[in-house]
Amino acid sequence: MKISLTVNGELKTVDIADENTPLLWVVRDTLDLKGTKFGCGKAACGACTLHVDGEAVRSCSYPVKFAEGKEVTTIEGLGDRENPHPVQQAWIEEIVPQCGYCQPGFMMATAALLNKVPKPTDEDIDKNIINVCRCGTYYRMRKAIHKAANLQFEKENKESKEL
């Protein structure tokens, strides 16, 4: 079965034997985008979080057939070294990662949250960022989420003034 989806702005067509294959494995193994991580395999930990049409999705339990014709964004598509996304910049500035394994999932969940709630409160963060970090970097992540909200606000204001 052929499935077409747009990944990080590029149209991709994959030939897949089982349409119920988790999107995670298509992204990692077929498209060779290794930033999205496998954690629990049960959609509980959030290490596999990416965006499908702007929504945070746990890709380890999201059949690839549901991604047909949709826009998928992975951590590789969020930003880059020269132009990091405000969430990535905040993560760097707050030195959030310890082992780093779960961080792409947290950053993708945070980017999706900021698109819906531009200035999240601690309560918003607690309700929406429910990923698991075995290193316990939650305090630094909370600081980074607030910093990312400020960076995103500054970026959007700068862009609107340039128009």
Side-chain angles (χ1 to χ4, degrees):
M1 171 181 203
K2 290 191 187 258
I3 294 178
S4 295
L5 58 159
T6 301
V7 180
N8 300 332
E10 292 183 31
L11 181 62
K12 305 282 184 180
T13 300
V14 294
D15 194 4
I16 194 93
D18 180 358
E19 65 186 15
N20 290 313
T21 300
L23 178 59
L24 171 66
W25 299 126
V26 173
V27 166
R28 286 187 56 84
D29 297 343
T30 305
L31 302 176
D32 201 31
L33 295 168
K34 304 294 187 184
T36 306
K37 305 298 185 199
F38 174 76
C40 65
K42 298 177 180 175
C45 74
C48 64
T49 303
L50 48 67
H51 296 175
V52 176
D53 285 347
E55 295 290 327
V57 167
R58 305 263 167 116
S59 63
C60 71
S61 60
Y62 189 88
V64 69
K65 66 183 177 187
F66 295 144
E68 170 71 36
K70 297 191 175 174
E71 301 267 342
V72 175
T73 305
T74 67
I75 191 70
E76 291 91 345
L78 196 60
D80 57 38
R81 285 186 187 274
E82 293 76 34
N83 189 21
H85 185 279
V87 172
Q88 293 168 315
Q89 186 63 43
W91 245 247
I92 292 166
E93 290 179 12
E94 293 298 331
I95 314 171
V96 172
Q98 188 166 325
C99 84
Y101 190 83
C102 64
Q103 299 302 309
F106 272 101
M107 287 188 273
M108 296 305 289
T110 299
L113 171 64
L114 295 181
N115 286 336
K116 292 180 180 172
V117 184
K119 286 285 193 182
T121 63
D122 285 347
E123 185 178 352
D124 294 327
I125 294 168
D126 290 344
K127 285 183 178 175
N128 291 284
I129 307 299
I130 55 172
N131 297 27
V132 176
C133 173
R134 295 179 71 178
C135 300
T137 60
Y138 299 106
Y139 175 73
R140 293 193 308 254
M141 279 189 260
R142 182 181 305 277
K143 285 177 61 181
I145 292 168
H146 288 298
K147 179 170 271 190
N150 290 331
L151 291 171
Q152 188 159 305
F153 178 77
E154 290 169 10
K155 181 180 177 183
E156 289 169 359
N157 268 355
K158 182 179 176 187
E159 289 171 355
S160 69
K161 287 179 182 175
E162 292 175 356
L163 294 176

